Amino acid sequence: MAGAAEGGVALMLAGIGWAMWAAWQLRRAGAPVRPGAAAGVLVEEGPYRFGRNPMSLGLTVALLGAAVAFGSFVAAVAAFAYAAYMHLVRIPREEAQLRGTFGGWYSDYTATVRRWL
């Protein structure tokens, strides 16, 4: 069980690190980190080169890591529920907002960069 716990902690740390890298890229570009805040700049560097929602991905991975580390079915369900909510509700709202703000530039970005990874 120690191996699973260690693997879960590693996954948790990787997810947190990925989300922190994404937040740092937003701050560096002068973009808001707070969800739902109006974006003034489209960030395409760092983890945003690989997926359009690296903070959501990082948090999902961290939650899955916690589920593995603690052997918690409830944490695993929470991770999947969070990912489903983000994928079905929150991210489509943010994408509509970004498409309205950046138009074709954002459409080009979505054509070449996946939503998650």
Side-chain angles (χ1 to χ4, degrees):
M1 191 65 156
E6 290 166 355
V9 169
L11 201 58
M12 225 170 35
L13 293 174
I16 291 167
W18 190 259
M20 289 177 66
W21 183 29
W24 179 77
Q25 285 291 332
L26 290 175
R27 281 191 192 100
R28 186 171 154 250
V33 176
R34 187 176 53 86
V41 62
L42 181 61
V43 177
E44 300 177 80
E45 292 84 31
Y48 292 93
R49 292 176 296 168
F50 308 108
R52 298 191 311 261
N53 298 282
M55 289 175 51
S56 298
L57 175 64
L59 293 175
T60 300
V61 169
L63 287 169
L64 287 171
V68 171
F70 301 115
S72 172
F73 176 74
V74 172
V77 170
F80 284 104
Y82 172 76
Y85 168 76
M86 293 305 290
H87 187 72
L88 298 171
V89 179
R90 186 72 198 164
I91 291 172
R93 272 193 241 150
E94 288 178 0
E95 288 179 340
Q97 181 184 23
L98 291 168
R99 193 166 275 111
T101 301
F102 299 108
W105 186 12
Y106 185 72
S107 295
D108 291 346
Y109 175 62
T110 63
T112 58
V113 178
R114 292 178 181 213
R115 180 179 273 182
W116 289 92
L117 253 189

